[in-house]
Every structure is written in C-alpha cells, then in structure tokens.
Amino acid sequence: MATAPMRTPTHLWIVGILSLLWNCFGGYDYLMTKTRNMDYLAGMTPPGVDPGTLLAYIDGMPLYAQFGWGLGVWSALIGSILLLMRNRYAVWAFLLSLVGMALSFGYMFIGPPMPGSEEAGMMKYMPLIIVILGLAQFAYARAVERKGLLH
C-alpha cells in the first residue's frame, strides 16, 4: 500500500518564499549591473562615487571572480525555486552558490578595494550578510532534506 505524500510544512513555504525574494534581488542587481544601467548603479553607489568607476572595477575583476558572481547569484535563485518545489537538488544549488560567493568575494577581500567601500556605511557589511544568508539557505536545505521533506 502506497503512503500519501507528506504535506509541505509552513516553515518550508516561508523560508522558500523569503529565499526566493532575496535571491530575485540578487538576480536583479546582477542584471542591472551587467546591462550597465547607470540610473540603478547611481542609486546603489555611495554619494560622491561615480557609477562609471564602479563599472570599471567590475570590468577589471578577473574572470574567475566574475564567473563566481554569476554562479553565486543564479545558483541561489535556482536553489530557492528547487526548495519551493521540494527538490533535493536545492542543496546542491545552494552549495554551488557558496562556491560562487567564495570566488567573487574572495577576490574582493584579497584584491583592490571596491570604489567607495570606505564610504559605504552599512553597505560595507553586505558581503558578510550575503555569505551568512547563503550559509543559512544551504543549512536549511540540508536540514529539510535530512528530514525527508525534499525528494
């Protein structure tokens, strides 16, 4: 006799939707930057920093760091979607996202400072917040997978 599929717990919907919203913003930021949307960049840079200087910094990032940024952003977004679909590959997508973060943020920490980072106020902590949330998404996906909620 087959058992009925387990009902999706409310916490999975809450975490999945919040994760999706957070990672959609990451995708939006990536697209606006890569399409060189100067209005968007002007709003995201600290006062007194030319958005063109920020673009020059991003263009000057080595290929591994640019690849890592894309991998981190899009893998996290896919991970959120897979989590909502209760698919076990969400764990792997969030893990790939962490690899991407290590590549892109690694360059930012060992390479030249991002223009305006010294005037960024709370924004200078954004990479740390992104990494903490990435680790939390990965840990959550692993935990619900171990409980048998992902298949």
Side-chain angles (χ1 to χ4, degrees), residues 72-120:
V73 167
W74 301 116
S75 295
L77 183 60
I78 290 168
S80 298
I81 293 166
L82 291 171
L83 186 63
L84 286 168
M85 293 172 60
R86 294 181 58 184
N87 187 298
R88 70 179 187 271
Y89 290 112
V91 176
W92 290 100
F94 286 127
L95 181 61
L96 277 176
S97 175
L98 292 173
V99 170
M101 285 183 219
L103 291 171
S104 63
F105 291 140
Y107 171 75
M108 294 171 91
F109 289 124
I110 63 171
M114 183 179 285
S117 59
E118 54 278 344
E119 299 99 21

Side-chain angles (χ1 to χ4, degrees), residues 1-104:
M1 181 173 202
T3 59
M6 187 183 298
R7 192 172 154 216
T8 304
T10 304
H11 63 84
L12 196 142
W13 287 115
I14 293 169
V15 171
I17 290 169
L18 289 174
S19 172
L20 181 63
L21 291 172
W22 169 256
N23 291 314
C24 277
F25 178 75
Y28 178 74
D29 178 65
Y30 183 88
L31 287 174
M32 290 294 104
T33 303
K34 288 297 188 176
T35 59
R36 306 173 107 58
N37 185 311
M38 297 308 272
D39 291 333
Y40 172 80
L41 291 169
M44 295 304 288
T45 55
V49 176
D50 176 35
T53 306
L54 180 61
L55 277 177
Y57 173 82
I58 292 168
D59 290 343
M61 290 170 57
L63 186 59
Y64 75 85
Q66 292 194 33
F67 173 78
W69 181 23
L71 181 66
V73 167
W74 301 116
S75 295
L77 183 60
I78 290 168
S80 298
I81 293 166
L82 291 171
L83 186 63
L84 286 168
M85 293 172 60
R86 294 181 58 184
N87 187 298
R88 70 179 187 271
Y89 290 112
V91 176
W92 290 100
F94 286 127
L95 181 61
L96 277 176
S97 175
L98 292 173
V99 170
M101 285 183 219
L103 291 171
S104 63

Side-chain angles (χ1 to χ4, degrees), residues 106-148:
Y107 171 75
M108 294 171 91
F109 289 124
I110 63 171
M114 183 179 285
S117 59
E118 54 278 344
E119 299 99 21
M122 287 301 293
M123 288 302 286
K124 68 182 168 186
Y125 300 109
M126 191 52 87
L128 180 61
I129 292 167
I130 292 169
V131 170
I132 289 169
L133 288 174
L135 288 167
Q137 290 172 83
F138 173 70
Y140 180 81
R142 277 191 62 197
V144 294
E145 179 192 35
R146 287 182 177 160
K147 289 182 181 179

